[in-house]
Amino acid sequence: MTLAVASRATYLRCEFKFGVWSGDVEPTSFYDPVNFTKLEITSQTQEFEQLISNMESTYGQLLASVAKPTESASLSAEADYMPPYLMGLMLGADITELSQTQLQVTDEPVTLALGVWVPLANKYLIPSAVATPFVLETDGDPDTEIASTKYTVDYINGLIKATHSDAVGAKLANYYKATRTGEIYKGGQAKSAYLKLIGTGTEKLSQKRCRLQIHKVSLAASAAFDPVAGGYVKGSFAGDLLTPSTETSPWTYEYLSDLSA
């Protein structure tokens, strides 16, 4: 096939899946596409080393100029819809499974102070409005139930606050913790990963299909995480592009000359 020589504009619309390198072993599976809103590839930064003439006849003229790389190719990315693995990388977090089974808790000792929240032994409690009521009692013989209007419970975090002096002091809590499953992110750590990105796309002017692969990038979070800002959470990532031993460049772009799907 003869390479095209005519000039053309390029307008890309792409989506990328990613896989995780295991040492020097390429990914054997890939996560679903990520909604990247930025995927900026910066080529190697180069500077020119000049040879200036010191000879009388050509004094001050440039005899030679050699470009030499000073920084490797790099990637800067932003995304707002991603698998949990990439969310963990954004938060610098280890991800573990959250699993809790419903269980009745009887006569749990708790010491309350007026107007402040005190932690219970469990979180994710079943609210009184849903099932068996939360019951706070005095620790006596017999135990006496304290009116629910005299204290407040944070059922998600497992906290209780006395709002009346009758609820202050050593008490007994009775409640049910709920069945819950989910994900736990232990954030704020120095996390990075070697990823491979496989992209498909369309050059919109010609409607011709293309592929773009970033063979290996050492990626880490590159911006702050603000849980109270509102709107969709956007992750920012940055890292260096590497050339695996099986490739001759850090990334590859393939453009089809036909209209194949």
Side-chain angles (χ1 to χ4, degrees):
M1 168 186 154
T2 303
L3 291 174
V5 295
S7 298
R8 63 171 183 262
T10 300
Y11 190 118
L12 294 176
R13 180 67 62 202
C14 301
E15 72 175 40
F16 288 83
K17 305 175 182 69
F18 75 92
V20 183
W21 282 76
S22 178
D24 293 328
V25 180
E26 288 196 36
T28 56
S29 60
F30 292 83
Y31 289 88
D32 284 337
V34 177
N35 190 45
F36 284 112
T37 55
K38 174 184 176 182
L39 197 70
E40 185 177 87
I41 301 172
T42 302
S43 296
Q44 280 193 340
T45 302
Q46 301 184 73
E47 66 179 24
F48 291 90
E49 188 164 331
Q50 299 176 335
L51 178 63
I52 307 296
S53 173
N54 197 41
M55 298 177 289
E56 181 181 27
S57 58
T58 57
Y59 183 77
Q61 296 181 19
L62 187 62
L63 300 178
S65 180
V66 176
K68 61 179 183 180
T70 56
E71 294 184 19
S72 65
S74 61
L75 179 73
S76 178
E78 293 179 354
D80 53 15
Y81 183 85
M82 66 197 83
Y85 182 93
L86 206 57
M87 179 73 74
L89 192 62
M90 178 188 78
L91 300 176
D94 290 323
I95 307 173
T96 56
E97 180 182 357
L98 187 158
S99 180
Q100 177 175 287
T101 303
Q102 180 174 321
L103 183 69
Q104 183 179 12
V105 178
T106 304
D107 289 347
E108 177 188 314
V110 58
T111 301
L112 276 66
L114 187 64
V116 295
W117 293 97
V118 176
L120 296 163
N122 299 282
K123 56 185 180 293
Y124 299 115
L125 315 183
I126 298 179
S128 296
V130 175
T132 304
F134 186 103
V135 175
L136 186 68
E137 300 174 320
T138 60
D139 187 3
D141 188 15
D143 298 339
T144 302
E145 183 175 344
I146 298 170
S148 61
T149 55
K150 297 181 178 181
Y151 61 89
T152 302
V153 179
D154 179 342
Y155 291 93
I156 296 295
N157 292 304
L159 300 170
I160 183 170
K161 178 176 71 172
T163 57
H164 188 279
S165 59
D166 288 352
V168 173
K171 308 299 178 188
L172 299 175
N174 300 269
Y175 57 88
Y176 280 85
K177 63 178 185 175
T179 296
R180 291 288 183 266
T181 58
E183 302 152 3
I184 300 173
Y185 293 80
K186 297 287 188 178
Q189 304 179 61
K191 292 289 183 180
S192 63
Y194 290 106
L195 305 184
K196 179 174 182 176
L197 279 68
I198 296 182
T200 57
T202 301
E203 197 292 296
K204 300 297 289 182
L205 296 177
S206 64
Q207 291 300 308
K208 294 177 181 178
R209 298 290 278 161
C210 58
R211 295 177 69 238
L212 202 157
Q213 291 192 59
I214 298 172
H215 303 302
K216 191 173 187 179
V217 56
S218 178
L219 208 62
S222 61
F225 168 65
D226 187 346
V228 299
Y232 296 107
V233 172
K234 179 172 287 191
S236 297
F237 308 90
D240 295 328
L241 300 182
L242 297 89
T243 303
S245 59
T246 55
E247 303 292 340
T248 58
S249 66
W251 61 277
T252 301
Y253 171 61
E254 299 176 5
Y255 171 81
L256 297 178
S257 59
D258 55 30
L259 295 177
S260 301

